[in-house]
Amino acid sequence: MRTILTGLAVAGLALCSAVAGMALAAEPSPELIAYGKTLVEAGDCAGCHTADPARPFAGGKRIDTPFGAIYAPNLTPDRDTGIGAWTDADFVRAVRNGIAPDGSNYYPAFPYPFFTKMTKDDTLAIRAYLGTLAPVVSRNKPPELRWPFGYRGLMRIWNAMYFKPGLFEPDQGKSAAWNRGGYLVTGLGHCGACHTPKNYFGADKSAQALSGSKVGGWYAPRLDGAARTGLQSWSAQDIAEYLQSGRNAKSHAGGPMAEVIVNSTSKMSEADVRAIAVYLKSLPPARRETIVTPPDEAEMKAGQVVYAKLCIACHEADGSGAPRIYPPLPGNALLQSNNPSSTLRIILDGAHTVTTPRAPNTGEMPGYAKQLSDAEIAAVTNYIRNSWGNAGLLVTPAQVAKARMREADGE
């Protein structure tokens, strides 16, 4: 009997040792964690999941949508309020299919329609990095959505209509850089979440991918090859420089894009940023550009008066500015966008040049909301959108007044 018990004890010790060995083997390697960190930065996860910089990834940040507000959840490894108790399968299903561990559906403000293109290995690398964060107790806030959008069950219908799960499919006829850029743009980087127009139900108009869309009080411009309002006039180097530094010889980043550059693209590897540039430069226009009728002579003269008084000192009489310090206006794609929201936001509120390790010098433009009337702001906007070869749709004082109201509402 003693022999049998001794044998069982030895077998038990051997089993425990084996299990312990398996547990040790399951620990993510430093290389995997480091790779996961690069993916988290490429996906700009902190941009949505950090409300308090002192508590990174603890969630709580309010995300406004056309249907109401959603609060980003806690991604730290706290077992009660974060993802510490999740299994790998839970995490993969949440990220790539938008389904929580309890089986409920996430709203597509969480961009799982893009993340579905990620590989399982990359998804688990992200989990490995998140598992190294300091656990933070931060309970998730319920969404504040208008009726009937608060019923998560409706997401099953939305998914059936608009969600297409599946990995990014490489094009064997394209270069490795193009395929890497496509993987980042259409998947992990979820560029279309802002830059693709949406239908009435908040789903992407896939036939118009990356052809520009409204984002709160701003406008995310076209990333396709449109001549006047897209990236046709930008080189791949222009795109890479913009993503790495927040500025180039053609434009400066502002609004939500400035945050993306600071938190995400400026931290990405040279190879990944250039891959994005290669992919974007290959995109044809997703829709035709609107034919523009120039403003009348009186409107242009009224705008020129305002420009000569307030703008010419920095942007010069010919609009050339000082590239990478004061953005040039001729040929500026965002300036000529059909939707003038970003231009109006900058004129009303002013702008601060985004600073990055590659471009640490600062710049500032004052806001003119209090100094100029709606008619004056409309006039100067029309002037700069239709001078020096530019062509932009007419902006009315009513549009300026609406932009002021959005500012007053905190949007």
Side-chain angles (χ1 to χ4, degrees), residues 58 181 238 298 303 314 316 327 365:
D238 289 333
C314 294
E316 306 293 342
M365 172 181 157

Side-chain angles (χ1 to χ4, degrees), residues 4 42 51 104 149 156 188 219-220 228 312 328 369 391 405:
I4 294 174
S104 62
F149 303 110
R156 295 179 183 176
L188 179 60
Y219 182 73
R228 192 180 78 252
I312 201 169
M405 289 177 62

